[in-house]
C-alpha cells in the first residue's frame, strides 16, 4: 500500500518509477496529485498488474484531466482492480 495523497511534487516521472519498481502494489493513493496525467496512469497499467484499489481523484490538473487512455490502460493492465476513483479529473 502506498499513499501519496495531496503530494504536490508527485508527477508522471514518480509514477513511472513506482510502476517499474512496485509490480506487486495492491493499493495506491494519488488523490490531489494534479501533476499526474494520462502518461503516469498508463504506466500504472503497464506495471502494476496486481493493483486492486486506485484513488486518483483530482489527478490530471485543472486543464488536461484524464482521458480514455487512462481507462483503457487500467482496464487492460490491472485485471484485479476492484475500486477506482477518478472523480474531479475532468
Amino acid at each position: 500500500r502506498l499513499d501519496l495523497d495531496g503530494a504536490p511534487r508527485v508527477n508522471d516521472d514518480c509514477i513511472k518509477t513506482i510502476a517499474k519498481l512496485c509490480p506487486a502494489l495492491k493499493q495506491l493513493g494519488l488523490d490531489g496529485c494534479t501533476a499526474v496525467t494520462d502518461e503516469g496512469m498508463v504506466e500504472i497499467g503497464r506495471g502494476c498488474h496486481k493493483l486492486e484499489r486506485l484513488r486518483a481523484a483530482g489527478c490530471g490538473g485543472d486543464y488536461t484531466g484524464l482521458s480514455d487512455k487512462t481507462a483503457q490502460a487500467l482496464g487492460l493492465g490491472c485485471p484485479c482492480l476492484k475500486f477506482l476513483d477518478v472523480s474531479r479529473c475532468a
Side-chain angles (χ1 to χ4, degrees), residues 15-63:
I15 299 303
K16 288 177 188 178
T17 301
I18 291 167
K20 182 178 179 181
L21 299 177
C22 304
L25 189 64
K26 290 188 176 188
Q27 296 184 33
L28 181 58
L30 298 173
D31 286 346
C33 295
T34 57
V36 176
T37 68
D38 278 330
E39 187 178 340
M41 293 296 181
V42 167
E43 292 303 318
I44 291 172
R46 287 183 183 152
C48 299
H49 303 292
K50 296 186 179 186
L51 196 65
E52 295 176 359
R53 297 180 58 86
L54 176 59
R55 293 185 334 272
C59 286
D62 295 333
Y63 302 105

Side-chain angles (χ1 to χ4, degrees), residues 62-84:
D62 295 333
Y63 302 105
T64 60
L66 297 177
S67 74
D68 292 345
K69 290 179 185 178
T70 291
Q72 183 177 20
L74 296 176
L76 294 173
C78 302
C80 299
L81 196 62
K82 298 174 187 170
F83 177 84
L84 174 63

